[in-house]
Amino acid sequence: MTVPVPVPSSAQAAATNGALKAAALQQLENCINSTTTTTTTTTAIDTNNAADCDDSVAPAPAVQAHAHLHDNEAGFKDDVFLDTTNDTQEAGSFEGPEKLLEIWFGPAPYPLQGIRTIPAKLQTAENDDSMSGSDRYGLRIVPKPVWDEMLAIVKCQVLNQIQNDCMDAFLLSESSFFVYPHKLILKTCGTTTLLLALPKILEIAQNYCGLEKVWRVFYSRKTFMFPERQLHVHRDWKDEVAFLDRHFEHGSAYTVGKVNGDHWCLYLTAPQDDCLSHITSRRNSASSLDNGNVTIDENGDVIVVGGHADIDHRHPLSIVTHGVVSAPGQDSPLESPGSSSASSVASSSSSISIASSASSAGYLYPSHDQTVEILMTNLNPEAMKRFYQRPDDVPGTVGGIRVDQETGLAGLFPQAQLDSFLFTPCGYSANALQDGNYYTIHVTPEPVCSYASFETNIPVNLRNRKSNKHRSASGSASPVSGMSASEDGDSAEEDTNKKTGDVTSKATYTGPETLTELISRVVEIFQPGTMSVTLFSSHMTEDGQLETTRQKERRQRHMMKAMGHIPQFTRTDRIMYEFEGCDLVFGHFVVKA
């Protein structure tokens, strides 16, 4: 835990903010110059029309950057959007709604287990060792100072960090940053320039992990309260989409909800199931499994004995792809684009999953991904008083603990590892980890711009129940309704309810069990006047199989029904999208008079 930052005087704060701004701009300048030096393309920028710099890119030579890397980052140096003269926030008018970028470099963490060492040319004395001590691989091997450089471009910094065997969580001066072995989630508020860091993120993934391609990308945000104060491409959704299109292929953009009212913007790409085909050589040469003995037991699990200095115990693992098992160090048995089942692989958000008989939390990554985000505005001023610093409060983590206890946030998911922070003079942020899942909360309590967000991928049931369903000892919910491997799970669920009983002891309470209960608990704390709720759900079952058509349609009905009624609120919108590999339901609600 970090020591809470002392509260500076207004003069000190102004000087500090100026220094941070200068440092961030210098970092951006360095990043651009570095990109310009190393790029393999020749650019001719028309400084009189820098916003249209794409049209002035010279033909690329034979050696070209990967498709997802932008070929003209140097143009951003003179980009007319890069105007930082209006980035100061007026008192009491902070931009709470966040920009959310989620980049998946693979559909699951296991295929990246061979990436455990930093290339020798990038190893320096400055590489931070504070995030060591667990079985780290993939993106988790990147040193914290490297992430700090990237975050400086975004115009934010790390306040605190926590970790478990599955992931790392960084609490930021403007929201949160989560690092899995195979994906990154960056969420920033205010006038942060999140998308400007995209080239740096892709560069880090390529240089440190050899990840040259991206599997999927999600970028989203709610309607800004003060859009005119945003910087660079973030001033207009069309510019954000154009920026993303310059980096990624197969992207689609959506405006969900009322265009002339409270709406939500989404950009996502289709799954690219060849994204990991290039890492086989590195997995073979740098994998910690090279020195271990690999065998396949009678159950078809791959047994790895030894190999890594920090792992001397047995971890039965396997990659399951339509029933085919491959040992570590071999190519994953994904069908080639010309195979008969290639389309089914793509439509499933990839059918790679992890099957593990090890009890280590390092392998507790859910096969089915379900994420809910609750974006709340017009918060009750009385409820918001708890998110202001009091005379006897110590700002930072100590004040955050006071807020956790007083609001009930500490008991929302009591088994989660919670890291919270109280800002001066007001405001609150928190990250929490529970195995391979997380939740994050951010609060702007000022009445003129009150806003709170809650996001989690901790699984909850989509169906309301008369009886509470048993939850595992780790705190994870039983399989989400509709995720059973059976064709028709309704009767199976009813039988399970009868067997587990109707009473859950308070001593064993592990958190909300249904989506309705979760939303109700959250809105009870923040008491919003209006809110938007988004629910993503993948097309994979809990046991790592692609859903049948009947299972998918059944889950979609449950998603719509779960977003149908929230106690004390009137629903004004409910919209469903079916994407490749996942579904989305958006709901907008207004509190009843």
Side-chain angles (χ1 to χ4, degrees):
M1 304 290 282
T2 59
V3 178
V5 180
V7 182
S9 64
S10 57
Q12 291 172 324
T16 301
N17 289 338
L20 289 174
K21 175 182 175 181
L25 290 175
Q26 183 60 49
Q27 176 63 38
L28 176 58
E29 176 92 5
N30 294 341
C31 176
I32 293 172
N33 290 338
S34 174
T35 307
T36 307
T37 303
T38 58
T39 184
T40 58
T41 60
T42 303
T43 59
I45 306 301
D46 180 1
T47 56
N48 295 322
N49 190 22
D52 298 324
C53 59
D54 271 351
D55 296 332
S56 58
V57 179
V63 180
Q64 190 173 6
H66 293 281
H68 69 266
L69 296 177
H70 184 233
D71 293 332
N72 192 26
E73 297 303 335
F76 296 137
K77 183 176 180 180
D78 299 315
D79 200 320
V80 294
F81 290 118
L82 195 54
D83 174 14
T84 58
T85 59
N86 68 337
D87 65 340
T88 56
Q89 293 286 349
E90 296 179 9
S93 58
F94 184 77
E95 184 68 74
E98 303 96 343
K99 313 166 185 78
L100 176 59
L101 177 65
E102 189 166 331
I103 305 179
W104 294 58
F105 291 90
Y110 177 72
L112 277 64
Q113 280 205 339
I115 303 174
R116 294 180 181 269
T117 57
I118 299 173
K121 64 180 180 180
L122 297 175
Q123 293 180 3
T124 67
E126 297 179 357
N127 284 348
D128 186 271
D129 193 44
S130 62
M131 303 301 285
S132 62
S134 60
D135 185 22
R136 309 181 71 79
Y137 60 91
L139 294 165
R140 296 187 71 198
I141 70 170
V142 176
K144 179 180 173 294
V146 177
W147 294 131
D148 288 334
E149 293 178 9
M150 179 273 292
L151 293 170
I153 300 173
V154 182
K155 297 174 60 180
C156 61
Q157 56 186 320
V158 175
L159 300 177
N160 205 20
Q161 62 194 54
I162 57 175
Q163 68 182 61
N164 63 14
D165 288 339
C166 298
M167 58 191 296
D168 305 313
F170 299 89
L171 199 62
L172 306 180
S173 54
E174 281 81 11
S175 301
S176 299
F177 179 43
F178 296 94
V179 181
Y180 284 80
H182 62 303
K183 67 179 179 179
L184 304 172
I185 303 170
L186 180 56
K187 189 171 191 174
T188 65
C189 58
T191 56
T192 49
T193 50
L194 186 152
L195 287 181
L196 282 184
L198 179 56
K200 185 67 174 179
I201 293 173
L202 299 176
E203 174 190 308
I204 291 170
Q206 182 170 348
N207 290 346
Y208 281 82
C209 304
L211 298 173
E212 301 174 355
K213 298 181 180 180
V214 168
W215 182 60
R216 292 205 80 163
V217 174
F218 298 85
Y219 175 75
S220 63
R221 65 168 176 83
K222 184 184 177 296
T223 314
F224 286 134
M225 296 180 178
F226 312 104
E228 71 282 357
R229 297 180 187 170
Q230 292 298 316
L231 307 175
H232 202 262
V233 295
H234 295 298
R235 290 175 177 166
D236 192 291
W237 174 239
K238 292 184 296 183
D239 294 328
E240 291 174 301
V241 172
F243 185 96
L244 289 161
D245 277 342
R246 285 150 68 177
H247 288 80
F248 304 107
E249 298 177 348
H250 313 294
S252 301
Y254 302 83
T255 299
V256 185
K258 299 177 181 177
V259 177
N260 61 344
D262 200 9
H263 58 270
W264 186 70
C265 301
L266 171 67
Y267 180 97
L268 77 166
T269 62
Q272 303 300 306
D273 286 297
D274 65 341
C275 63
L276 297 180
S277 59
H278 64 285
I279 71 168
T280 304
S281 59
R282 175 160 188 183
R283 185 191 307 142
N284 287 335
S285 61
S287 173
S288 63
L289 305 177
D290 283 349
N291 296 325
N293 298 317
V294 180
T295 60
I296 299 180
D297 68 5
E298 64 277 4
N299 297 319
D301 285 332
V302 177
I303 309 297
V304 182
V305 183
H308 191 263
D310 297 327
I311 305 176
D312 57 4
H313 49 286
R314 295 163 62 89
H315 282 305
L317 301 172
S318 62
I319 301 179
V320 180
T321 308
H322 295 299
V324 181
V325 179
S326 68
Q330 297 178 352
D331 287 296
S332 301
L334 285 173
E335 291 85 349
S336 65
S339 66
S340 60
S341 57
S343 60
S344 67
V345 174
S347 66
S348 69
S349 290
S350 180
S351 53
I352 295 180
S353 66
I354 297 178
S356 175
S357 60
S359 60
S360 169
Y363 302 102
L364 295 178
Y365 298 99
S367 296
H368 174 73
D369 185 66
Q370 177 179 289
T371 302
V372 60
E373 189 176 25
I374 308 171
L375 311 175
M376 299 163 280
T377 53
N378 301 319
L379 310 177
N380 186 334
E382 285 299 314
M384 290 301 97
K385 289 181 179 179
R386 295 171 291 189
F387 297 94
Y388 280 79
Q389 184 183 337
R390 297 170 182 171
D392 58 343
D393 273 336
V394 178
T397 56
V398 176
I401 293 173
R402 190 270 297 170
V403 175
D404 298 338
Q405 299 297 329
E406 190 173 301
T407 60
L409 288 171
L412 188 59
F413 287 98
Q415 294 189 0
Q417 178 186 1
L418 180 60
D419 176 27
S420 55
F421 198 96
L422 178 64
F423 292 89
T424 301
C426 64
Y428 168 91
S429 288
N431 290 335
L433 301 181
Q434 183 169 295
D435 297 333
N437 301 110
Y438 69 90
Y439 73 81
T440 183
I441 303 170
H442 303 284
V443 184
T444 301
E446 296 96 324
V448 70
C449 57
S450 63
Y451 171 83
S453 68
F454 173 88
E455 177 188 348
T456 186
N457 65 350
I458 297 176
V460 292
N461 288 297
L462 299 180
R463 299 181 65 196
N464 292 328
R465 307 172 189 279
K466 295 181 180 179
S467 59
N468 292 322
K469 192 166 183 178
H470 178 69
R471 298 174 74 94
S472 68
S474 67
S476 298
S478 299
V480 179
S481 177
M483 293 299 103
S484 171
S486 64
E487 232 1 75
D488 185 356
D490 284 327
S491 59
E493 287 178 353
E494 292 172 1
D495 292 341
T496 302
N497 288 338
K498 293 177 182 178
K499 293 177 181 178
T500 57
D502 296 337
V503 178
T504 299
S505 168
K506 291 183 179 179
T508 60
Y509 177 76
T510 57
E513 296 193 3
T514 67
L515 179 62
T516 301
E517 182 186 351
L518 173 61
I519 297 174
S520 297
R521 287 287 306 277
V522 171
V523 300
E524 181 182 2
I525 294 171
F526 297 106
Q527 300 178 30
T530 58
M531 66 176 176
S532 298
V533 182
T534 64
L535 173 64
F536 273 101
S537 184
S538 70
H539 294 171
M540 300 294 291
T541 64
E542 286 292 333
D543 55 1
Q545 302 300 312
L546 175 63
E547 288 179 322
T548 64
T549 300
R550 183 175 180 181
Q551 286 176 319
K552 181 170 69 173
E553 291 176 348
R554 179 171 173 270
R555 178 183 45 76
Q556 290 172 342
R557 291 195 300 270
H558 292 164
M559 290 176 68
M560 289 292 285
K561 188 173 182 179
M563 204 73 80
H565 172 70
I566 305 298
Q568 309 302 319
F569 283 83
T570 298
R571 189 186 74 245
T572 60
D573 266 323
R574 180 175 56 179
I575 306 167
M576 182 171 194
Y577 284 86
E578 180 176 330
F579 301 119
E580 189 173 356
C582 65
D583 300 315
L584 164 71
V585 174
F586 169 89
H588 186 265
F589 302 85
V590 177
V591 70
K592 294 180 179 178

